[in-house]
Amino acid sequence: MYKFVIEGGIPLKGEVVISGSKNAALPILCSSILSDGICRFANIPRLKDIDTIFKLLGILGVEAEMDDENHEVTMDPSGIKAFEAPYELVKSMRASILILGPLLARYKRAKVSLPGGCAIGVRPIDLHLKGLAKMGADIDVSHGYVLAKTSGLKGDRIIFNKPTVGGTENIMMAATLAKGITIIEGAAREPEIKDLADALNGMGARIEGAGESTIAIEGVDNLSGVEHRVIPDRIEAGTFMAAAAITKGLVEIRGVRLDHMAAVVEKLEEMGVRIMKSGEASVYVDGSGKLGPIDVETAPYPGFPTDMQAQIMALACVAGGASSITENIFENRFMHVPELMRMGARLEEKGNTVFVRGIDRFQGASVMATDLRASASLVLAGLNARGRTELRRIYHLERGYEDIDRKLKTLGANIERQVGGI
Ligand code: UD1
């Protein structure tokens, strides 16, 4: 097992290119199941989660050829002959549930393991299942598996009482090949959903309103191949913005969609980070100014993303004054709190809010990564800290950040990947 050893205190300088969005790529790769042709997707990040979805699609019979160098993949779904997502894969990545809608719509049956609990809370899939049942799927949950079959999905009105990203994606994919019109109300509005709809429409689907809270999908008989480029990863971009700020650095972040990042940019600017557009898809982030406190509440898009909560907390720890961070999307998403405290942070957790009293700098310590974004906050703390930080269990980071150590090194960080630790 590997760990990161970080010597903190170096202001990051230089430029970094942001990879394609993990959360857009995952459903888009699953959407190939729906297609009758060859799908070519560009800007696919090289990540553990992407490997997992390739493995899963491979088990179903989708052939994928990845051009690692160019971040492109060619997928041929014509050989699909299996319809089951086994527990081993689903437990390591919840997004495996995204094959359910496409398999049902295209092949009328699917068997997908229940994701079970995960590090950041219960995360049920009831809304996915209710929606598919309303569209005519016969769903049975037994022995830890969802067994679904249908004689043919039919369009219907699906109302989500809370916005769910994966649920919206599953229903949207299923509806592309269902008979008639599906209306999703209370849909999640994340940019990744719009990107998926763009890919599907490129295959010949008829989706309107993706990115808004009502989406209308008119089913078609079949979908063709497509060429599609995945949007940049807004969470990776936000994490590098926070890295520039926490090290008092000056970093040019390239390949970003600022229009997807309004809430994050607004909060960073409110803290005193200067963010200036330097080109069509690039920004300078100047962290040399004094950082002030912040109150942040996570919310569905376009609100502040839960996937940036841990990172902005690390930043708030070394900002002057008193901040508060409230998590409204997931329960149990404060696992970074005790680890940040081991590095000197002054934090008090009350319900779903963490109250932060600013310190001057973190102190290096041995800490443990617990989930993807929590790990990112510990890297940020390590980059800021006096002395040496050892971060164990970095496989969590590798699920969602492509080459994070290499990218940080090119910005001047002293970060080494070493063998060791449990
Ligand atoms: C996606 C993202 C994840 C992000 C999250 C929220 C991917 C692969 N992952 O996860 O990085 O943190 O959105 O922005 O895109 N819920 C239910 N019933 C359901 C489904 C969800 O109660 O059937 C609840 C969840 O427990 C959670 C909330 O709805 O409290 C939002 O979850 P959801 O948007 O579905 O998250 P994911 O799609 O799993």
Side-chain angles (χ1 to χ4, degrees):
M1 249 200 249
Y2 288 95
K3 62 183 177 183
F4 280 155
V5 178
I6 305 170
E7 294 284 347
I10 301 171
L12 298 186
K13 294 228 153 48
E15 59 177 60
V16 63
V17 180
I18 296 307
S19 299
S21 161
K22 166 178 88 73
N23 285 354
L26 289 171
I28 285 174
L29 294 174
C30 291
S31 75
S32 65
I33 295 172
L34 293 160
S35 165
D36 285 343
I38 304 290
C39 302
R40 291 200 177 83
F41 300 118
N43 208 25
I44 300 294
R46 281 172 316 195
L47 297 168
K48 201 62 160 298
D49 276 8
I50 297 292
D51 289 345
T52 306
I53 210 79
F54 279 143
K55 212 181 269 177
L56 177 53
L57 292 170
I59 289 175
L60 303 182
V62 179
E63 268 181 37
E65 212 174 287
M66 179 82 187
D67 174 352
D68 274 336
E69 196 82 349
N70 293 309
H71 292 83
E72 284 171 8
V73 65
T74 304
M75 309 186 77
D76 177 358
S78 61
I80 292 183
K81 56 194 173 316
F83 310 97
E84 177 175 338
Y87 178 61
E88 287 64 41
L89 290 179
V90 181
K91 81 169 191 305
S92 70
M93 192 187 62
R94 250 181 74 82
S96 310
I97 193 72
L98 292 171
I99 67 166
L100 182 59
L103 277 179
L104 259 181
R106 178 73 180 77
Y107 295 97
K108 300 190 166 48
R109 60 189 164 130
K111 181 176 174 188
V112 180
S113 166
L114 282 172
C118 80
I120 62 172
V122 177
R123 300 182 79 174
I125 54 161
D126 55 318
L127 300 172
H128 303 231
L129 301 187
K130 264 188 215 153
L132 291 168
K134 190 139 192 258
M135 293 172 73
D138 186 0
I139 292 176
D140 179 31
V141 179
S142 60
H143 301 286
Y145 275 83
V146 177
L147 290 141
K149 56 182 188 322
T150 179
S151 54
L153 294 179
K154 292 189 189 68
D156 208 321
R157 181 173 289 262
I158 310 295
I159 302 169
F160 287 129
N161 55 14
K162 67 165 113 166
T164 155
V165 175
T168 302
E169 291 166 344
N170 240 337
I171 299 299
M172 194 165 80
M173 287 191 279
T176 57
L177 291 180
K179 272 240 157 340
I181 292 176
T182 302
I183 306 285
I184 307 176
E185 285 178 21
R189 296 154 65 191
E190 270 68 2
E192 292 75 22
I193 288 167
K194 168 80 167 59
D195 204 30
L196 171 63
D198 288 346
L200 290 166
N201 283 342
M203 295 178 191
R206 296 199 187 127
I207 303 172
E208 271 180 31
E212 293 159 36
S213 48
T214 302
I215 304 178
I217 306 120
E218 187 186 345
V220 295
D221 291 339
N222 45 51
L223 294 175
S224 64
V226 69
E227 290 193 10
H228 178 82
R229 184 176 176 80
V230 169
I231 55 172
D233 196 305
R234 61 196 168 100
I235 304 300
E236 188 197 16
T239 304
F240 275 96
M241 286 179 177
I246 209 163
T247 61
K248 299 204 165 294
L250 177 64
V251 174
E252 185 176 26
I253 302 184
R254 304 180 66 173
V256 282
R257 285 279 303 261
L258 265 194
D259 55 325
H260 293 165
M261 301 184 63
V264 170
V265 167
E266 187 188 317
K267 284 297 172 189
L268 290 175
E269 286 183 336
E270 209 178 312
M271 292 181 87
V273 182
R274 290 183 61 213
I275 298 173
M276 297 146 287
K277 227 173 152 149
S278 59
E280 188 52 37
S282 53
V283 283
Y284 281 119
V285 180
D286 178 359
S288 61
K290 199 172 149 31
L291 289 179
I294 195 78
D295 295 313
V296 176
E297 289 212 20
T298 63
Y301 190 85
F304 191 91
T306 173
D307 287 351
M308 275 297 295
Q309 177 257 106
Q311 299 90 313
I312 201 143
M313 188 184 297
L315 198 54
C317 286
V318 290
S323 296
S324 72
I325 316 278
T326 300
E327 173 57 53
N328 289 321
I329 308 294
F330 292 114
E331 71 221 69
N332 198 18
R333 207 177 193 179
F334 283 146
M335 270 130 22
H336 41 290
V337 167
E339 300 299 306
L340 291 171
M341 288 172 81
R342 301 191 64 246
M343 297 180 71
R346 291 197 297 177
L347 303 173
E348 193 185 349
E349 194 179 326
K350 277 194 187 151
N352 64 337
T353 299
V354 171
F355 295 94
V356 185
R357 279 180 300 149
I359 54 169
D360 181 34
R361 265 178 81 180
F362 283 104
Q363 306 146 16
S366 279
V367 287
M368 189 92 91
T370 48
D371 74 47
L372 174 54
R373 307 305 171 183
S375 322
S377 76
L378 299 174
V379 170
L380 294 176
L383 292 171
N384 166 278
R386 267 191 201 93
R388 176 186 170 103
T389 296
E390 288 198 7
L391 174 61
R392 283 154 210 273
R393 302 201 175 168
I394 58 171
Y395 55 83
H396 289 292
L397 273 168
E398 287 160 353
R399 286 190 43 209
Y401 289 94
E402 179 173 334
D403 288 341
I404 189 169
D405 46 336
R406 186 188 57 76
K407 289 187 183 185
L408 286 169
K409 262 191 193 160
T410 62
L411 297 174
N414 185 343
I415 177 168
E416 294 298 334
R417 176 185 298 257
Q418 292 182 5
V419 176
I422 43 153

